[in-house]
Amino acid sequence: MIRFPEEFVFGVAASAYQIEGAWNEDGKGESIWDRFVREPGRILNGDTGDVACDHYHRYPEDVAVMADAGIPAYSLTTAWTRIIPDGTGAVEPRGIAFYDRLVDELLAHGITPYVTLYHWDLPQGLQDRGGWANRETVAAFVRYADVMSDALGDRVKHWKTFNEPWVAAFAGHYFGDFAPGHTDFAEALTVAHHLLLAHGRSVPTIRSNVAESDIGIILDCRPSAPATAAPADIAANRYFDGFRNRWFFDPVFGKGYPRDMVDAYRERGAYETDEPPFVRPGDLEAIATPCDFIGVNYYTALSIGAGHEEDEKPEIKPGPNAPDGHTEMGWEIVPTALTSFLKRIHDDYGATDIRITENGASFSDGPTTEGRIRDRRRIEYLWAHLEAVADAIDAGVPVTGYFVWSILDNFEWDLGYSQRFGLVWVDHATGQRLPKDSLSWYGGVIASRSLG
Ligand code: FCB
């Protein structure tokens, strides 16, 4: 039997655009996702987050579901466009009032709120002025972080600045699958830098607004291994790791950008200068501003061969017929890679407090005739990954929390509603919620602090 320490935090997570809906209510401004979903061909089946799970109106029901299951912590994200609709102008009090109500509802049910400020939904008004490629967006974010942490800081202690800057930068500006849909490698690098800079610059601001604050950033990770022992595959894997992991972990932990990648990106034609042109004096120090923890999102690991140095696409296409050993995202299930990645960030970076801020599985099991959802494969996935976390803790890695993605089936970006990550099933036509077997299983793990 595996037991988790008393102070270990179990929770669930979701993000604003994926669940809230109410895309243009109560003064909310347009975000780059509101714009992107309206471009033909961008989203599977033409789905949008206009209504999503209608959490904006149904949040009391969602909080009650979490409370009934015994979930002690909920990681939510705030929509910048509800707070400062065009990114830089006046503050919208009705937007703040929504998060006030949500936080109060959580606290009234004994659930600790964790707030992430940015989960990809940049105000379109800022995108019109260059978005994250424009350095001025950094200051606009710091102001938003100031407004938000000032408004909620009396009740919310746990803050995360950004979710997955790699995805925002590269899926949004190089691969073009995500908003704003650009395909420019040099721009993606500039965007990545400004995201990291905005993170570092906002940490002191949040700290000054929140007593006993607990602040971090969420980095997504893709552990990888060379496809074979051939030198070309080893080199490809090293590049992939630099592209996907080290370019973000290194500067956040004060090591600056990795030299091999700075050189590789110059050779790739991203810039001609010795150092990346977007880095200004003081930036790297700001990015490395000490935080209280590092958040890590983990789903899968990859095997990388020559020619696939920047290949993020799994060979297995997303869909309900995923072969055994894969989720319906087409992602291979590799829990041991989580253990080794956690050991690595402890060893390489000296991380002293690591939290799994997202981990979960997409499986589309729906209600049986008795109205039950027997999502055995999700339970197996979560079980195996919690074991992987426990193994890391046993090996001396300071992992202090684990959040399941996600509480609700929701809008999965370019794949629309075709993927279901929830512990709670949502009928997207009616909004009806139905807890899955995995929710009560997870509640049992939390109550006993043990597996098995
Ligand atoms: C992560 C995102 C989250 C969700 C999961 C499946 O990369 O942060 O919004 O899409 O993947």
Side-chain angles (χ1 to χ4, degrees):
M1 171 146 73
I2 291 170
R3 277 196 72 78
F4 287 87
E6 274 321 301
E7 7 11 286
F8 190 86
V9 178
F10 291 99
V12 292
S15 92
Y17 187 71
Q18 293 177 275
I19 64 168
E20 283 180 3
W23 76 286
N24 59 0
E25 264 179 64
D26 291 340
K28 180 182 167 299
E30 185 189 15
S31 79
I32 55 174
W33 273 93
D34 294 321
R35 176 73 60 98
F36 190 67
V37 297
R38 290 179 162 66
E39 292 175 15
R42 291 294 198 185
I43 312 295
L44 189 65
N45 303 322
D47 290 343
T48 76
D50 289 3
V51 178
C53 304
D54 199 23
H55 175 76
Y56 189 78
H57 299 111
R58 300 178 79 131
Y59 72 89
E61 187 182 341
D62 295 334
V63 172
V65 167
M66 292 184 227
D68 287 349
I71 306 287
Y74 173 49
S75 177
L76 62 107
T77 83
T78 51
W80 188 343
T81 49
R82 290 201 191 284
I83 307 303
I84 305 168
D86 66 353
T88 52
V91 172
E92 170 53 68
R94 290 172 293 177
I96 294 192
F98 169 64
Y99 295 111
D100 268 334
R101 291 196 297 278
L102 176 55
V103 161
D104 289 345
E105 188 79 7
L106 288 163
L107 293 171
H109 285 77
I111 299 172
T112 305
Y114 284 63
V115 169
T116 304
L117 289 162
Y118 190 80
H119 200 121
W120 312 344
D121 44 357
L122 184 75
Q124 182 63 39
L126 285 169
Q127 188 61 50
D128 293 342
R129 281 170 272 154
W132 283 110
N134 180 349
R135 200 173 158 103
E136 287 175 18
T137 299
V138 173
F141 176 82
V142 175
R143 174 171 172 247
Y144 157 57
D146 186 22
V147 170
M148 216 58 248
S149 56
D150 182 46
L152 302 181
D154 56 335
R155 287 151 293 156
V156 176
K157 302 292 168 207
H158 309 283
W159 292 84
K160 288 161 286 181
T161 52
F162 285 85
N163 175 69
E164 301 190 348
W166 183 89
V167 173
F170 288 94
H173 301 81
Y174 173 48
F175 295 110
D177 301 333
F178 283 13
H182 298 181
T183 51
D184 178 338
F185 193 86
E187 186 189 44
L189 278 182
T190 307
V191 164
H193 183 68
H194 292 156
L195 292 167
L196 290 174
L197 184 60
H199 153 71
R201 289 258 177 90
S202 63
V203 171
T205 305
I206 303 168
R207 258 201 222 302
S208 70
N209 285 333
V210 184
E212 294 163 24
S213 56
D214 175 50
I215 311 175
I217 182 170
I218 302 172
L219 300 180
D220 49 317
C221 64
R222 277 288 192 277
S224 64
T228 73
D233 289 348
I234 292 172
N237 180 59
R238 171 96 187 136
Y239 181 104
F240 178 82
D241 181 55
F243 170 60
R244 200 60 174 75
N245 302 313
R246 290 181 289 123
W247 193 259
F248 294 84
F249 281 91
D250 278 18
V252 163
F253 282 99
K255 295 182 161 194
Y257 289 114
R259 173 48 54 187
D260 59 326
M261 299 310 294
V262 169
D263 295 341
Y265 291 158
R266 184 188 321 102
E267 279 158 31
R268 196 192 181 292
Y271 41 79
E272 291 174 353
T273 41
D274 282 350
E275 298 301 327
F278 41 76
V279 180
R280 298 208 190 149
D283 285 5
L284 293 173
E285 291 75 8
I287 292 171
T289 301
C291 286
D292 301 293
F293 66 91
I294 182 86
V296 172
N297 291 355
Y298 175 78
Y299 290 92
T300 189
L302 295 175
S303 155
I304 298 294
H308 297 274
E309 291 81 354
E310 292 173 2
D311 213 345
E312 181 53 27
K313 299 276 170 206
E315 276 161 34
I316 314 246
K317 295 283 159 255
N321 301 319
D324 273 1
H326 295 75
T327 68
E328 291 184 21
M329 289 293 277
W331 291 342
E332 192 179 351
I333 303 172
V334 198
T336 49
L338 174 58
T339 312
S340 30
F341 198 85
L342 289 169
K343 284 185 194 157
R344 173 182 162 193
I345 48 178
H346 182 48
D347 292 348
D348 289 5
Y349 300 108
T352 52
D353 184 337
I354 308 169
R355 304 183 195 161
I356 311 300
T357 33
E358 281 184 25
N359 177 241
S362 167
F363 289 113
S364 55
D365 312 88
T368 60
T369 41
E370 327 82 85
R372 224 177 115 181
I373 294 171
R374 299 174 184 273
D375 56 337
R376 181 187 49 79
R377 294 173 296 175
R378 177 170 295 96
I379 294 173
E380 285 170 5
Y381 179 98
L382 297 175
W383 187 310
H385 286 80
L386 276 165
E387 269 179 7
V389 169
D391 287 346
I393 296 174
D394 277 354
V397 182
V399 191
T400 64
Y402 175 91
F403 288 71
V404 172
W405 182 271
S406 180
I407 181 62
L408 300 173
D409 289 341
N410 60 47
F411 178 82
E412 179 51 35
W413 309 112
D414 56 330
L415 298 173
Y417 296 101
S418 66
Q419 300 288 325
R420 292 181 175 273
F421 277 90
L423 298 176
V424 175
W425 189 80
V426 177
D427 179 333
H428 294 299
T430 63
Q432 189 207 344
R433 273 82 164 137
L434 197 58
K436 303 182 188 178
D437 283 3
S438 54
L439 181 67
S440 55
W441 170 82
Y442 190 45
V445 171
I446 294 169
S448 64
R449 300 200 151 268
S450 66
L451 277 174

